[in-house]
Amino acid sequence: MAHTAGPVTPVPGSPQTDPPPQRPFPRWAVIGIFAMLAVAGLAYAQTFLTPVILAFVLALVFSPLRRALERVRIAPGLAAALIVTTLLALLIVAVTALATPVRQWTADAPQIGAKLEERVRDIRASFGADEEGTSLGEVVEKVTEAAAPGEDDAEAPVEVVVQEESWLTTIASSGSAILIQFILTLVLLFFILASGDMFYEKMVHVTPRFADKRKAIRIAREIERKLSRYLLTITVINFGLGTAVGLAFWALGMPDPLLFGVLAALMNYVPYVGAVVGAAVALVVGLLTFDGLWGGVAPALVYYALTSIEGQFVTPYAVGRNLKLNTVVVFIAVAFWAWLWSIVGMLLAVPLLVAVRVLCEHVDALEPLGDFLSARGAEREKDDDEEEPPAPQGRVAA
């Protein structure tokens, strides 16, 4: 009689009962891959994303103005049309006023380059003269001539120079794309402002819990308030800086002081980098305009002094401690967005940092990131503000 084997009871500790050990989930690897893909996606979609994000940032800035117009019984559509039309008119006036000097500087670009090279050669010669009166430039020229092949040598190869496209040609070729992005920004800005508070209503509708609805609205309004106050304050400061630079350059006798005033106002929207670029431009034009080393350097020194006063005293006092950001993080953000989205990225770097910091202030999980983005000492000030006075322990004796 055949006996069938019954079910075998596994012995604890045997290979049949112990599952294979599971490795910990590599969360850091997933986060790294997601970050790289996000950066690649932002770079790939630059043409589309830059006008969209710029339009939303401008909408946050002008939303308080749109609500103020609504309170005087102006419809949202009409208020949006007034704001967009005013922006477009100001831009047209600025471009028209600056078109003539920019066209003149562009036409004189070859002569300016040759003159600048001559001035640099003179400055180097004045610093590099030896005891026998021979300048450093002459020494280099003599060495070059000695190393060059003479007439008795073999026939020298013919040098072929491939003429590259100038920066003016590059700008002209990309002018249509810039114009399309600008039109898309204004049109999208009009629709966002004309829709009123539709996005806030949608946010409340899709948020499930009542506490989350209030928190989402509070975060959105706080971002809007701080961003609009920051950009409005910075715009007023930049206008004053541009006026000061224009008047100072007019007093020094610099050509086209209005152009330099507008350049200083626009470049100051980019922290740190804008001041350096403006001072470099002032140095080049000063060397081309004035004779002597100190006369050419004076405009750059004046420009740097004015921007230093603005950056060290005016802006910290006007902006306040609530928007103080880590200077290293600001510089890295400007460099990153400049690499990613060029000029528009540099303009959006600080507003995006302000929005991220406000978000971190209202989300507990992101509070460490908000402390990292803040300036030195902001954590202690926040802790002091959050401290509540102790409750009174009875009556105070008269």
Side-chain angles (χ1 to χ4, degrees), residues 45-354:
Q46 172 189 359
T47 306
F48 171 75
L49 288 179
T50 48
V52 172
I53 295 181
L54 184 59
F56 273 97
V57 170
L58 292 176
L60 290 174
V61 173
F62 290 107
S63 289
L65 178 59
R66 188 257 308 162
R67 293 195 186 95
L69 294 176
E70 288 183 11
R71 285 194 289 270
V72 295
R73 300 183 181 277
I74 297 179
L78 182 57
L82 290 175
I83 294 173
V84 173
T85 304
T86 304
L87 288 178
L88 183 60
L90 291 176
L91 183 63
I92 292 175
V93 170
V95 171
T96 304
L98 300 178
T100 301
V102 170
R103 190 184 303 114
Q104 185 65 33
W105 282 96
T106 303
D108 297 340
Q111 294 82 1
I112 291 174
K115 187 175 180 180
L116 179 62
E117 184 178 357
E118 181 180 357
R119 290 283 292 131
V120 172
R121 189 183 303 114
D122 294 340
I123 294 174
R124 291 178 58 187
S126 63
F127 279 100
D130 56 14
E131 296 179 356
E132 299 179 357
T134 304
S135 64
L136 180 61
E138 294 177 358
V139 174
V140 174
E141 185 177 357
K142 290 179 180 180
V143 173
T144 305
E145 291 178 356
E151 297 179 355
D152 298 336
D153 297 336
E155 183 179 356
V158 179
E159 183 179 1
V160 179
V161 179
V162 180
Q163 185 175 4
E164 299 180 355
E165 292 186 357
S166 63
W167 60 274
L168 295 175
T169 306
T170 304
I171 294 178
S173 61
S174 60
S176 59
I178 297 176
L179 180 61
I180 292 174
Q181 289 185 347
F182 176 73
I183 294 175
L184 177 60
T185 301
L186 290 183
V187 172
L188 184 57
L189 174 62
F190 170 77
F191 281 110
I192 295 175
L193 292 176
S195 62
D197 293 330
M198 181 188 67
F199 283 96
Y200 294 135
E201 297 172 0
K202 298 294 183 181
M203 189 185 305
V204 171
H205 179 71
V206 300
T207 306
R209 297 189 304 173
F210 179 75
D212 294 336
K213 296 177 187 291
R214 295 185 57 185
K215 190 173 185 179
I217 293 297
R218 186 168 62 251
I219 293 175
R221 288 295 177 89
E222 186 72 9
I223 292 176
E224 177 186 297
R225 184 180 64 85
K226 287 193 174 183
L227 196 59
S228 59
R229 179 181 299 177
Y230 168 77
L231 289 179
L232 179 61
T233 305
I234 291 298
T235 300
V236 174
I237 293 174
N238 292 349
F239 179 79
L241 176 65
T243 304
V245 170
L247 292 176
F249 280 18
W250 173 77
L252 290 174
M254 286 280 286
D256 300 318
L258 176 61
L259 178 62
F260 282 99
V262 175
L263 177 65
L266 294 179
M267 293 302 299
N268 204 52
Y269 281 101
V270 183
Y272 312 120
V273 179
V276 174
V277 173
V281 174
L283 176 62
V284 171
V285 178
L287 293 175
L288 294 174
T289 304
F290 304 105
D291 296 330
L293 178 62
W294 293 111
V297 175
L301 294 178
V302 171
Y303 188 98
Y304 180 76
L306 292 175
T307 54
S308 299
I309 294 173
E310 174 271 328
Q312 297 296 327
F313 301 101
V314 179
T315 298
Y317 176 78
V319 172
R321 65 179 178 86
N322 291 328
L323 289 180
K324 285 184 179 179
L325 298 172
N326 191 333
T327 55
V328 178
V329 175
V330 171
F331 183 82
I332 294 176
V334 171
F336 172 77
W337 288 106
W339 167 72
L340 195 65
W341 285 353
S342 185
I343 298 177
V344 179
M346 289 191 294
L347 296 176
L348 291 175
V350 177
L352 291 178
L353 273 181
V354 172

